[in-house]
């Protein structure tokens, strides 16, 4: 008999956010690959990094949203996979703490990189 993948309630907020972040990531990646396939890569960079201030802010916001959703989706998936493998009690809390701290560090570095790339610093 197949194991149930999800260790969280299907009616809960974590289940909904996991599905929502997956949909967002698929849409953003589809848009990116569509631009790469149908438009010359140089035009995509020009489009995304245009010199208008609003475009820079929009590009920055898109990068941060992608980073946050990918981080949540990945960390939530790893944590649930470990819970399904039998992680319990103190180990569960320690692993969750390590994943949260690592995610926070990743997001801080991602924001710094996004600010540097867009020139909004």
């Amino acid at each position: 008999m197949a194991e149930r993948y999800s260790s969280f309630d299907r009616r809960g907020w974590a289940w909904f956010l996991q599905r929502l972040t997956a949909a967002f990531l698929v849409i953003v990646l589809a848009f990116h690959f569509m631009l790469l396939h149908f438009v010359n890569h140089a035009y995509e960079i020009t489009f995304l990094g245009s010199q208008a201030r609003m475009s820079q802010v929009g590009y920055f916001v898109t990068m941060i949203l992608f980073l946050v959703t990918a981080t949540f989706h990945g960390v939530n998936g790893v944590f649930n996979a470990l819970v399904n493998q039998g992680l319990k009690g103190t180990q569960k809390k320690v692993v969750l703490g390590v994943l949260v701290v690592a995610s926070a560090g990743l997001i801080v570095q991602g924001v710094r990189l996004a600010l540097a790339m867009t020139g909004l610093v």
Side-chain angles (χ1 to χ4, degrees), residues 23-57:
F24 176 78
L25 294 172
V26 166
I27 290 168
V28 170
L29 287 174
F31 179 70
H32 171 71
F33 287 124
M34 181 191 69
L35 284 176
L36 286 178
H37 183 71
F38 293 114
V39 180
N40 185 334
H41 185 63
Y43 292 134
E44 179 192 12
I45 293 172
T46 303
F47 169 73
L48 293 175
S50 69
Q51 297 188 9
R53 188 79 167 163
M54 192 58 198
S55 293
Q56 289 174 334
V57 172

Side-chain angles (χ1 to χ4, degrees), residues 94-111:
V94 169
V95 167
L96 181 60
V98 168
L99 289 172
V100 167
V101 169
S103 298
L106 176 68
I107 289 172
V108 167
Q109 289 300 320
V111 169

Side-chain angles (χ1 to χ4, degrees), residues 53-73:
R53 188 79 167 163
M54 192 58 198
S55 293
Q56 289 174 334
V57 172
Y59 184 52
F60 173 77
V61 169
T62 303
M63 288 173 62
I64 298 306
L65 280 174
F66 187 81
L67 175 66
V68 169
T69 56
T71 302
F72 172 80
H73 187 78

Side-chain angles (χ1 to χ4, degrees), residues 1-10 15 18-19 75-89 91-92 95 99:
M1 179 174 241
E3 290 184 47
R4 184 176 153 214
Y5 172 72
S6 176
S7 62
F8 46 85
D9 184 15
R10 289 182 181 228
W15 182 84
Q18 186 74 6
R19 297 325 183 253
V75 167
N76 193 36
V78 167
F79 181 70
N80 281 296
L82 291 173
V83 168
N84 286 335
Q85 295 299 315
L87 196 63
K88 293 182 177 148
Q91 288 179 335
K92 184 177 174 182
V95 167
L99 289 172

